[in-house]
Amino acid sequence: MILEKIKNKIWLISIPVAIAALLSMSAIKDIETAHVELDLGKRTAYYLRTSTDSLTYLAIAYTATGKEKFINEFNSHLERRKQLKFDIIPEGLVYYNEGLSLSNELATVIEAPAFKAMNDTAFFTDQYLSYKTRIIASIEHLRDVTYENSNNKLQRAILELNIYIYFLVLLLLGFVVLIRLDKPVIITPLKKKPIKKTIKKPIKKK
């Protein structure tokens, strides 16, 4: 009997359940996207920081020792960095390009002349430190805007997912209640009154 009721009522919730399920899947996808964006932003910021630090190390090492391997690695690193592309959010890309531009400018304005003069003190001047400070600031802004953007997406997606899950639960509970309240109408057959047969008494002959 209950199985028959479910079969008769299942069409009432099939469409709302399907819609809620699709919306839940979309919210889960948004959560995954937010995590990917956050991870890419962190990786990009880390690369830019290690890249500029590596260039500084190679520049100081070359001017201090005069060994060609350091200047060769310095130039190779710059060439490799030009080929890299990062698929991050537009807001983060602004700060990445800003830090990259400052790092390239630092290589042209200070590091290249220092190589020619073999001047290892050029990397300890106020001008050099100013460049490094601005590069680090760009990296920090990249991290902050990536975290803020990803966190907002994540919180919104989690809220939507919770709403869809609660909706599904309420929908299923309502369906159960509807089945329980749907009592079958019992039709009692009318009882036929017995028909009394009149018995004719035989007529006595006189």
Side-chain angles (χ1 to χ4, degrees), residues 13-41:
I13 66 165
S14 59
I15 295 178
V17 166
I19 293 174
L22 288 173
L23 292 173
S24 298
M25 292 172 63
S26 177
I28 293 172
K29 185 65 178 177
D30 290 340
I31 292 173
E32 293 176 353
T33 302
H35 280 295
V36 170
E37 288 181 355
L38 181 60
D39 184 61
L40 287 174

Side-chain angles (χ1 to χ4, degrees), residues 62 111-119:
Y62 174 67
E111 291 168 343
F115 295 156
K116 292 180 181 179
M118 296 300 290
N119 178 18

Side-chain angles (χ1 to χ4, degrees), residues 65-100:
T65 65
K67 294 182 178 180
E68 292 293 326
K69 65 177 183 179
F70 293 118
I71 188 65
N72 291 337
E73 180 59 29
F74 182 93
N75 293 328
S76 297
H77 186 93
L78 284 178
E79 289 300 319
R80 288 195 304 270
R81 192 168 70 175
K82 291 178 182 178
Q83 308 301 323
L84 293 178
K85 302 293 181 183
F86 292 96
D87 186 18
I88 59 177
I89 60 174
E91 297 88 347
L93 193 59
V94 170
Y95 291 112
Y96 171 77
N97 289 333
E98 180 182 86
L100 183 63

Side-chain angles (χ1 to χ4, degrees), residues 113-170:
F115 295 156
K116 292 180 181 179
M118 296 300 290
N119 178 18
D120 57 352
T121 62
F123 310 108
F124 303 97
T125 62
D126 291 339
Q127 185 183 14
Y128 189 86
L129 293 176
S130 175
Y131 270 105
K132 295 291 287 187
T133 300
R134 284 184 288 165
I135 291 171
I136 293 172
S138 297
I139 294 171
E140 292 300 323
H141 288 145
L142 168 58
R143 286 175 179 160
D144 292 342
V145 74
T146 300
Y147 174 79
E148 183 178 356
N149 186 280
S150 300
N151 188 58
N152 289 340
K153 285 184 178 180
L154 185 62
Q155 295 300 324
R156 183 170 61 252
I158 291 175
L159 176 61
E160 291 175 355
L161 181 60
N162 287 334
I163 291 173
Y164 301 144
I165 291 174
Y166 289 142
F167 175 72
L168 275 172
V169 171
L170 291 175

